Every structure is written in C-alpha cells, then in structure tokens.
C-alpha cells in the first residue's frame, strides 16, 4: 500500500490552498476530454475535485494514464492546487502523479452521476454503487444526523440507553407474525419489539430508558411502508402517564427536525424542511372515524384505521397529529384501559402519532397491575404461561409507566418525502430480498 502524502478530503481544499501540494483519494466520477485539456473529476464522501491536465503542460505518460483509467476506479492523485472559479469548491489540481489503487470493471451497473436514473431494484442490487450517487449518500447522512440528534435529546433528558435481546421466546405485538428460528432444542423467535423487556426494566428502578435497535416483523405483504427488518426507537418511562410520553415524543420530533433543517445536502434531495410546531393536534379515535365518515369512508367502531383511511385523514388534517383513545380491542394487551366514569371500559390510553402520509409511532400508558395484565393476556387468547418471565416483574413492585415505539425509517421517509421505505435502509429486508 502506498503512503499517501498530505491527503485531504475534496471539501477541505479551497482556492486558499493555491500552490500547496495535496493528494486526493477517491473514485473516478467523470472524464471530460476537451482536446487541449482533459478533466478528471475525483469523488470522495465529501464532494468532488477537478483534476485538470493541459495537454501541453503535463507529462505525456501521465496524460495517457489518466485518459485511460476506467470510470469508478479508485485513484490517488497528487498535485498542485490552483484557484479556479468554475471548478467545484473553487479550485483545481494540476496533477504530478496518479496511482490507480483499484481498477473498476466496465460496464457499470448504475450511473453514479445521477444523469441516468435506475429502478429501485437495480439500485438495491448494486447498493454499494448506488451509495456513490449524491441523492442516496445524502439520505444516509441525514439518517445518521437523525440518530445522533435522538441520542443527544435522550441524553439531555436523562434517559439511559439499553440493549435488549433480539432472540426471544414470546410474541409482543399480536397480529404481526413472528419469524421462528431454531435455537438449540427449543423454538425461539426474532423479536418484534423490545416491549416486554423495556417494561421489565420499569420494575428495576431504571425508570427512563430508550433503545434504538432492529425489530423483526414477518409481514407477508409487500408495501412501500413495511419492512421485515426495521429500526425502532423505543422509549419507556415510569411514574408518568401516556400524556407525558406523548409530549416527549413530539418534542423529540421537533428536535430532530431542528437538527436536520440546516443540512446543506437537503438541496440535493429537493427537500425544504420546516420544524413542525408543537404541540401536535390531538384527535380521538371517535373523532377520526367521524371525520372519515364525512368523507364517505365508513369505519365501524372497533375496526382499525387502514391505509386508505389514514391517507384520507392525513389529507384533511395536513400536519403531524395524534390519534388517541383507541378501542382496547385493537390495541395490545399491555395498553391500559381508560377510566370512564370511575370504571375501566372499552377505550385504552393508547395513541398513534401520524404523519399525513403514514403512521410514525404507537404508544400507551401500560397496565401495571399484575392481575389485570394477566387477564388481558388471556383475553387476547394468549397463554399467560409463556409470559411468566414478564409477568413476574409485575409482582414485586411495578410503578405506573408509559412509552412508545417510533419507526426510524418511517420518520426519515416522511421528512425527506421519499415514497418507498426501502430507499432509506442500507440493505432492506423484504419478502423477496435477502441479499445483499
Ligand atoms: P408498533 O407495532 O405500532 O408498536 O410499532 C411501532 C412503530 O414501528 C414502526 N414499524 C415498522 N416500520 C417499518 N416496517 C414495519 N414492518 C414496521 N412495524 C412497525 C412504525 C410503528 O409506528 N411495542 C409497540 C410500541 C410501544 O407501545 O411502545 C410497537 O411495537 O413506525
């Protein structure tokens, strides 16, 4: 391996470095032959550098070498910086030498300049190369900014980051199927959600926790908003109600937007972001079905609000909003039934956070009474025995608690106005896709 002298990222160089000897390392993005002068555009994660070879002034062997290097090969170019207003970042490099570190095969599976578009499947099949395009690169830089903003926010609010097991013995989210795996002599599953574990921690004194980790859902349908492996931000707090965790959730969303809003790469994604005003609007489930009925979309009380109804509501409301007071029948066993006239009835202290296009998060106040929780597990047709390890934590002092789960991909695709969820995952897992 060669020693690269004075290597700089292409965006670290400006016209102020004129006269300096530098090296840039990256991929051959474009080659332009103007007869008397040849341009090589080298790309790295930070941007582009123009390497300028005036035919008469550079060594002939070097000129021919540069001209022949196939596009997307990895090169190191060493040369002298000159100010050049028309070039990216206002400079060009007059090369003294170039080394090809890895020659790229031709024909390329994708056009990395973004001039020729490609189908999503083609892009995902050659994801390493798709990530070389400006648009895709910026999506994942925003994703990283978003996750960093979340961790900073939680840290500031005194939450502890936890890691719970992904190989588990029981389901948490009724309805969505599980992926079975073989675990020595026993049956096990990939976890659908950290739900049971984050709740168990509420009995431990760790009373403000969060986790950012994969969740696995064996959803058979093929939609633009479902993945089989997604990333969830899970929060659980003790000594609070659903109202307080809803406030925490909207504050988190506004904070994430405020961190991403100034990112210059948004221009490449054709997005202009505005930090949403908080508090978000809150409507009850009953109000939601009434609004839908006004639009001719009938939902029986107790039925879930499906994708088409979500869209209709989103069009009416037009901003981020919460749907609260859900029928217990369509919420999981751990959601706390609300007290109505001193009696707990059919409505749960549960909420969904909605973007006009899709659901971003669900949460609730949790049942913390052992007896009620056991009863609710059984009412849902599940066996209390398989939840013994979880129920145990409710027998020796469990404080009231509440929390939510927020889909990282859902938030990112809604912020960046991206249609297909696969676009915001490096290597998405769906019904058809297990590689790369
Ligand atoms: P829920 O099942 O609603 O709730 O999931 C929470 C959020 O996770 C995201 N999500 C998904 N994203 C992409 N593909 C999927 N297949 C997928 N499934 C879920 C969504 C969703 O809103 N335990 C509760 C949360 C809680 O109450 O704390 C739960 O998992 O954005």
């Amino acid at each position: 391996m060669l020693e690269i002298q004075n290597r700089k990222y292409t965006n670290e160089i400006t016209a102020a470095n004129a006269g300096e000897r530098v090296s840039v390392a990256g991929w051959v993005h474009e080659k332009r032959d103007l007869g008397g002068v040849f341009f090589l555009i080298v790309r790295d994660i930070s941007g582009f550098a123009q390497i300028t070879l005036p035919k008469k002034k550079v060594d002939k062997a070097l000129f021919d070498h540069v001209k022949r290097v196939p596009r997307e090969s990895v090169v190191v170019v060493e040369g002298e910086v000159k100010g050049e207003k028309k070039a990216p970042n206002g400079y060009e490099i007059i090369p003294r030498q170039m080394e090809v570190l890895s020659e790229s095969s031709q024909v390329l599976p994708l056009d990395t300049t973004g001039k020729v578009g490609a189908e999503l499947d083609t892009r995902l099949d050659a994801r390493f190369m798709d990530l070389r395009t400006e648009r895709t690169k910026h999506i994942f830089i925003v994703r990283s900014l978003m996750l960093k903003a979340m961790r900073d926010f939680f840290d500031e609010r005194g939450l502890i980051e936890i890691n719970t097991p992904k190989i588990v013995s029981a389901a948490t989210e009724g309805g969505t199927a599980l992926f079975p795996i073989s675990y020595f002599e026993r049956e096990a599953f990939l976890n659908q959600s950290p739900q049971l574990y984050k709740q168990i921690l509420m009995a431990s004194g760790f009373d403000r926790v969060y986790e950012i980790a994969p969740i696995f859902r064996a959803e058979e349908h093929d939609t633009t908003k479902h993945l089989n492996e997604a990333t969830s931000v899970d929060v659980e707090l003790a000594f609070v109600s659903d109202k307080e965790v809803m406030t925490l959730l909207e504050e988190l969303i506004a904070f994430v937007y405020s961190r991403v809003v100034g990112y210059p790469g948004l221009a490449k994604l054709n997005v202009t972001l505005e930090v949403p005003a908080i508090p978000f609007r809150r409507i009850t489930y009953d109000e939601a079905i009434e609004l839908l009925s006004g639009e001719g979309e009938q939902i029986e009380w107790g039925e879930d609000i499906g994708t088409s109804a979500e869209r209709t509501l989103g069009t009416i409301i037009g901003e981020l909003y919460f749907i609260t007071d859900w029928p217990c029948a369509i919420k999981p066993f751990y959601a706390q039934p609300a007290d109505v006239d001193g009696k707990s009835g059919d409505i749960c202290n549960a909420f969904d956070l909605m973007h006009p296009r899709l659901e971003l998060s669900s949460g609730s106040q949790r049942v913390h009474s052992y007896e009620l929780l056991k009863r609710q597990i059984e009412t849902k047709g599940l066996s209390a025995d398989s939840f013994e390890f979880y129920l145990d934590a409710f027998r020796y002092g469990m404080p009231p608690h509440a929390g939510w789960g927020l889909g990282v991909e859902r938030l990112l695709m809604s912020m960046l106005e991206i249609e297909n969820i696969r676009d915001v995952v490096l290597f998405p897992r769906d019904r058809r896709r297990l590689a790369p």
Side-chain angles (χ1 to χ4, degrees):
M1 172 75 194
L2 85 168
E3 285 225 351
I4 304 175
Q5 303 292 327
N6 199 18
R7 181 188 164 207
K8 293 199 186 291
Y9 281 107
T10 57
N11 75 344
E12 289 177 320
I13 309 167
T14 65
N17 299 91
E20 239 179 80
R21 277 271 162 82
V22 297
S23 298
V24 291
W27 287 257
V28 173
H29 186 66
E30 272 192 289
K31 302 195 297 180
R32 284 185 220 135
D33 191 351
L34 303 186
V37 55
F38 192 88
F39 295 112
L40 182 81
I41 308 296
V42 173
R43 181 190 68 243
D44 63 18
I45 185 71
S46 75
F48 304 91
Q50 175 176 303
I51 316 298
T52 306
L53 296 98
K55 198 167 186 174
K56 294 213 173 98
K57 289 197 192 143
V58 296
D59 175 66
K60 176 157 184 342
L62 176 63
F63 191 90
D64 292 343
H65 185 40
V66 170
K67 224 172 146 175
R68 272 197 311 268
V69 62
R71 277 179 59 202
E72 293 305 321
S73 299
V74 176
V75 297
V76 189
V77 179
E78 192 238 7
E80 191 178 313
V81 178
K82 257 183 74 184
E84 170 53 65
K85 286 200 181 69
K86 281 182 270 167
N89 243 20
Y91 74 91
E92 61 185 0
I93 295 173
I94 311 298
R96 215 174 53 121
Q97 48 176 331
M98 178 184 83
E99 182 153 353
V100 179
L101 301 181
S102 169
E103 189 170 305
S104 172
S105 299
Q106 309 286 303
V107 177
L108 302 174
L110 288 175
D111 170 30
T112 56
T113 66
K115 286 177 195 151
V116 185
E119 294 291 324
L120 183 58
D121 266 332
T122 312
R123 292 174 35 218
L124 293 175
D125 286 343
R127 194 55 145 169
F128 64 93
M129 185 156 280
D130 181 43
L131 283 156
R132 297 180 192 178
T133 66
E134 284 290 278
R135 178 180 176 275
T136 308
K137 174 183 91 178
H138 288 299
I139 292 174
F140 289 95
I141 295 177
V142 174
R143 186 175 163 126
S144 165
L145 277 175
M146 213 177 96
L147 293 174
K148 163 109 176 37
M150 289 177 174
R151 290 198 161 90
D152 289 347
F153 176 87
F154 291 137
D155 192 41
E156 224 168 75
R157 302 297 180 102
L159 276 74
I160 289 175
E161 181 165 8
I162 56 165
N163 302 104
T164 63
K166 303 304 153 212
I167 301 177
V168 297
S169 63
T172 53
E173 312 306 317
T176 40
L178 291 157
F179 283 115
I181 55 167
S182 96
Y183 192 70
F184 306 108
E185 301 76 32
R186 275 183 295 165
E187 187 179 43
F189 306 97
L190 293 178
N191 208 1
Q192 291 170 303
S193 143
Q195 186 65 35
L196 305 185
Y197 292 92
K198 63 179 183 171
Q199 283 194 263
I200 289 174
L201 281 169
M202 295 300 103
S204 71
F206 284 76
D207 61 357
R208 295 167 76 80
V209 301
Y210 78 95
E211 175 163 16
I212 304 178
I215 55 170
F216 302 93
R217 306 277 169 114
E219 324 247 7
E220 294 203 346
H221 43 268
D222 190 6
T223 80
T224 54
K225 59 176 188 179
H226 289 95
L227 292 162
N228 294 117
E229 178 177 351
T231 311
S232 175
V233 183
D234 271 88
V235 156
E236 205 65 27
L237 305 184
F239 307 104
V240 301
S241 74
D242 49 324
K243 308 292 174 295
E244 285 151 284
V245 294
M246 284 166 74
T247 304
L248 186 77
L249 176 55
E250 61 197 352
E251 286 174 356
L252 171 75
I253 303 279
F255 184 77
V256 168
Y257 268 80
S258 72
R259 280 283 187 89
V260 173
V261 111
Y263 176 59
L266 290 182
K268 289 277 187 304
L269 297 164
N270 292 323
V271 185
T272 33
L273 274 189
E274 257 179 61
V275 181
I278 53 172
F280 300 150
R281 187 167 159 192
R282 283 138 167 86
I283 61 167
T284 63
Y285 171 85
D286 286 9
E287 286 164 345
I289 57 174
E290 207 177 303
L291 282 172
L292 286 166
S293 150
E295 296 295 311
E297 234 171 300
Q298 301 303 333
I299 293 197
E300 286 291 313
W301 198 91
E303 266 179 34
D304 208 353
I305 299 177
T307 300
S308 133
E310 266 176 24
R311 289 262 175 172
T312 309
L313 275 178
T315 311
I316 302 170
I317 296 176
E319 58 186 3
L320 290 157
Y321 66 104
F322 282 107
I323 307 178
T324 64
D325 301 273
W326 285 81
C328 293
I330 46 173
K331 284 292 169 188
F333 59 78
Y334 48 78
Q336 172 72 42
D339 274 342
V340 181
D341 303 329
K343 283 195 304 203
S344 68
D346 300 331
I347 292 175
C348 271
N349 287 331
F351 57 86
D352 279 3
L353 172 65
M354 309 295 299
H355 179 273
R357 278 175 52 206
L358 79 177
E359 176 199 307
L360 299 182
S361 168
S362 322
S364 59
Q365 182 166 357
R366 321 300 193 184
V367 175
H368 69 281
S369 140
Y370 171 81
E371 286 77 22
L372 178 58
L373 188 56
K374 189 160 181 252
R375 220 165 42 241
Q376 295 211 153
I377 289 175
E378 284 162 352
T379 311
K380 295 273 180 195
L382 301 163
S383 134
D385 286 348
S386 42
F387 288 91
E388 205 182 332
F389 71 96
Y390 164 68
L391 281 166
D392 250 0
F394 291 74
R395 293 173 58 207
Y396 306 96
M398 171 62 93
H401 57 281
W404 41 256
L406 163 71
V408 168
E409 291 82 14
R410 297 264 183 106
L411 178 60
L412 184 57
M413 71 190 280
S414 65
M415 284 173 81
L416 299 184
E417 294 165 28
I418 286 170
E419 275 304 314
N420 196 320
I421 196 163
R422 293 160 183 78
D423 234 347
V424 300
V425 184
L426 282 174
F427 301 103
R429 290 291 171 260
D430 64 25
R431 184 87 197 257
R432 291 169 299 121
R433 190 169 282 281
L434 200 49

